[in-house]
Amino acid sequence: MRIQGGRLQVGRNAADTSGSGGSGTPGAGSAAGGRDSTGAGRLASPWPRAAALLLAGALPALAFPAPGLWWFAYGALVPWLLLIRTARTPRRAVLDGWIGGIGFVIAVHHWLMPSLHVFIVLLAALLGLLWAPWGLLASRLLGGSPSARRAVAAVVVVPSGWLLIELIRSWEGLGGPWGLLGASQWEFSPALRVASVGGVWLVSLSVLAVNTGVALLVAAPPARTAAGVLLLVCALSVTAMWAWAPRPESAGTVRIAVVQPGIVEGPRSVARRLDRGEELTRPLAGRGVDLVVWGESSIGAQAWERPETARRLAELSRLVGADLLVNVDARQTDGSGRSGIFKSAVLVGPDGPTGDRYDKMRLVPFGEYVPARSLLGWATSVGKAAGEDRLRGERQVVMALPDGASGLRIGPLVCFETAFPDMSRRLVRDGAQVLVAQSATSTFQDSWAPAQHASLGALRAAENGRPMVHATLTGISAAYGPRGERVGRPLGTDASAAEVFDLPLARGETLYGRFGDWPVYGAFAALAALCAVEGLRALRRPAPGPPGPPARTAHGSPGRPGR
């Protein structure tokens, strides 16, 4: 350290020697982001650095559909981590986390731009704040010259901090758990096995651990051996889960048909959608289907109010020889007597509606209701926010099909409820043998949203060891087996068709189904342990002594100052 301009300038690694495992040797400040570090030059200037951070934060979006570069997720965060590592001050590290978080939110949710317009930037700025403390955490553990002990802490704690962010933003009021990093691994069979053990949360932890280990390998020579060992441990852990985690046991098959009318908008679009759904359902007669699933809002309010609609649907059920699961977006009264607009999955049999109905519980902010409408109601005038709030259902429902379908029990979900791991888990624990999602992403037809939404079915199926059907109005409709494997041919966004899926049923319980979100609790424990260790170090650090007498200088003394 040196005295400069009357202030004490302390290199970053001077703090690291207090117990973080950092190096106190001369030149260590270069590795920590000092004047000779990789943060020098253009990336030391605020605006170029901010641009680099926005880009680095956006890179993980390429791992999700539609690009679908799932393998890229295992290194996509490395540039962001390396930039955070070169932060010269805690304030800079906080900014690095925040700016990168803005880039991540915009990239993963860019398909919302037609609805939110410029407000997506405001949304990203607010949600990006969740990554600000993570930037400080990553800087603290990765900066300087990490020892082997600090490398181990980094590979555990940095992913745990990210998982806490995913948990917070999974709250419905913040938009729900869209773009969880683990969800990018829906096509990777070993990752689906990991999901059966600890859900999408454990997959996210694994992906972050690999990124952290790679960042240490690239930029921290003293920790390279430890980082290599830690990456090997990650690989062996996934291999062990692949080999020994319980696998779903076969329990026969069920035949479910999905009807995708493919009509987005235009004159009489709601009525034409109903007509097209009926037209596509009739040829299913004689094909031995056990259930026919229509997409979200497949029946509009006016049609549902007409007795003729129930008669037409009952006739279809008799013709096909199976119940129909339709979806109604209309003003109704629920079991507790509340009246309003509900988005409901309704089971229709040969005699009409069976009485089985599920009202959507988790609504899309602004899309289906406006939070604090008295304050934010103006959003309806500048975007596509809901003109009237939908009402929420009060409980999840498992529906039992007739004995002709072997008493099959289905668990309905509506739209982005498939993003919430706890909802699928609850349905399976309540006895659902097949998870059935009804969705409509037609507003975002030409974006990455339909592919991202459909991919969530693979995670939910693998987590719970139960097959899942994802039925939409305009695509992508798909089906997945109990291990998350794709079944049959998906219906793309250009299709107006019906598809029959022979789904393998399964019995038994996955570890995630039995123990739930245990990786989240483990992440909390890791962060609490770090806080406890840092607190003890602060207590053990000797208090500063009283200031000594002013030092004599070459030009004077305390009694006779020099000039």
Side-chain angles (χ1 to χ4, degrees):
M1 61 185 164
R2 63 186 182 275
I3 295 177
Q4 190 178 67
R7 296 182 62 187
L8 185 64
Q9 304 293 323
V10 183
R12 178 186 184 131
N13 285 303
D16 287 342
T17 59
S18 65
S20 300
S23 168
T25 60
S30 174
R35 295 183 184 277
D36 299 325
S37 72
T38 57
R42 291 184 178 179
L43 293 185
S45 301
W47 292 111
R49 186 179 182 90
L53 284 161
L54 285 170
L55 178 60
L59 286 177
L62 297 176
F64 294 91
L69 306 177
W70 62 264
W71 48 268
F72 184 60
Y74 293 93
L77 289 169
V78 171
W80 190 0
L81 289 171
L82 294 180
L83 283 167
I84 290 174
R85 186 177 180 273
T86 63
R88 299 181 179 183
T89 65
R91 178 177 177 273
R92 181 70 254 180
V94 167
L95 282 173
D96 288 352
W98 179 42
I99 296 171
I102 293 173
F104 180 85
V105 172
I106 291 177
V108 174
H109 298 84
H110 73 276
W111 44 270
L112 286 171
M113 288 182 183
S115 296
L116 297 182
H117 305 296
V118 71
F119 292 102
I120 193 172
V121 178
L122 176 60
L123 174 67
L126 292 175
L127 290 179
L129 289 171
L130 294 173
W131 279 270
W134 181 77
L136 182 62
L137 178 69
S139 174
R140 180 76 175 87
L141 291 169
L142 297 176
S145 299
S147 65
R149 183 173 61 180
R150 185 145 64 98
V152 172
V155 171
V156 174
V157 176
V158 171
S160 296
W162 182 283
L163 196 66
L164 181 59
I165 297 168
E166 292 198 334
L167 182 67
I168 293 172
R169 70 186 185 90
S170 293
W171 178 48
E172 176 193 344
L174 293 179
W178 193 279
L180 302 184
L181 199 59
S184 67
Q185 302 303 294
W186 69 283
E187 291 182 288
F188 187 39
S189 295
L192 292 174
R193 295 284 293 147
V194 173
S196 75
V197 174
V200 68
W201 313 114
L202 187 57
V203 183
S204 286
L205 280 176
S206 302
V207 173
L208 260 294
V210 172
N211 276 275
T212 306
V214 172
L216 288 167
L217 279 175
V218 170
R224 281 177 179 164
T225 300
V229 171
L230 290 168
L231 289 173
L232 179 61
V233 168
C234 288
L236 292 175
S237 299
V238 172
T239 302
M241 285 184 269
W242 173 266
W244 292 309
R247 297 176 183 267
E249 301 177 16
S250 176
T253 60
V254 64
R255 176 165 285 192
I256 295 180
V258 168
V259 172
Q260 179 176 298
I263 298 174
V264 181
E265 56 188 359
R268 298 185 62 254
S269 59
V270 176
R272 290 190 297 116
R273 189 181 301 146
L274 174 58
D275 293 341
R276 181 59 176 160
E278 183 178 5
E279 180 184 347
L280 292 171
T281 302
R282 288 185 176 279
L284 297 173
R287 299 191 61 180
V289 297
D290 299 301
L291 176 69
V292 179
V293 184
W294 289 15
E296 180 187 9
S297 302
S298 48
I299 301 179
Q302 293 181 352
W304 188 246
E305 293 167 359
R306 301 191 190 107
E308 177 192 356
T309 301
R311 180 188 60 76
R312 290 170 63 183
L313 294 174
E315 179 186 339
L316 275 177
S317 175
R318 290 193 297 270
L319 176 67
V320 175
D323 282 8
L324 277 63
L325 186 69
V326 299
N327 193 277
V328 182
D329 191 357
R331 196 173 301 278
Q332 303 181 65
T333 300
D334 70 356
S336 63
R338 294 182 304 156
S339 293
I341 299 177
F342 289 93
K343 190 163 284 191
S344 307
V346 179
L347 195 64
V348 180
D351 299 321
T354 64
D356 285 326
R357 167 180 153 188
Y358 166 65
D359 298 323
K360 185 178 181 181
M361 296 173 62
R362 296 185 181 171
L363 306 177
V364 180
F366 295 98
E368 293 170 334
Y369 77 103
V370 176
R373 183 176 285 273
S374 60
L375 295 176
L376 301 176
W378 52 266
T380 60
S381 63
V382 295
K384 298 180 180 179
E388 180 180 349
D389 292 347
R390 270 57 173 170
L391 297 186
R392 303 172 186 274
E394 295 181 333
R395 64 184 181 88
Q396 291 187 262
V397 175
V398 174
M399 301 177 180
L401 300 185
D403 292 339
S406 303
L408 184 73
R409 294 170 63 85
I410 62 172
L413 297 162
V414 181
C415 192
F416 93 138
E417 288 181 334
T418 60
F420 294 87
D422 64 301
M423 297 195 73
S424 299
R425 179 172 177 263
R426 168 50 57 191
L427 288 171
V428 171
R429 292 183 69 83
D430 287 345
Q433 296 168 278
V434 179
L435 299 169
V436 180
Q438 296 172 300
S439 175
T441 50
S442 53
T443 304
F444 313 104
Q445 188 76 354
D446 299 319
S447 71
W448 295 355
Q452 285 186 26
H453 200 176
S455 71
L456 295 174
L459 268 295
R460 303 292 88 86
E463 287 170 342
N464 298 285
R466 296 294 184 271
M468 183 165 185
V469 173
H470 182 82
T472 72
L473 290 181
T474 57
I476 297 174
S477 299
Y480 304 93
R483 299 182 183 182
E485 73 278 18
R486 184 179 285 169
V487 174
R489 179 179 64 91
L491 295 174
T493 55
D494 58 345
S496 176
E499 186 71 19
V500 176
F501 298 98
D502 290 314
L503 291 174
L505 296 176
R507 57 174 173 264
E509 192 174 27
T510 64
L511 292 178
Y512 175 72
R514 185 179 307 168
F515 298 112
D517 301 330
W518 63 266
V520 173
Y521 305 125
F524 273 115
L527 293 170
L530 176 69
C531 292
V533 169
E534 292 298 321
L536 287 174
R537 283 175 177 164
L539 290 174
R540 291 175 180 174
R541 193 173 296 129
R552 292 178 178 271
T553 70
H555 300 286
S557 66
R560 186 177 178 182
R563 296 187 179 182

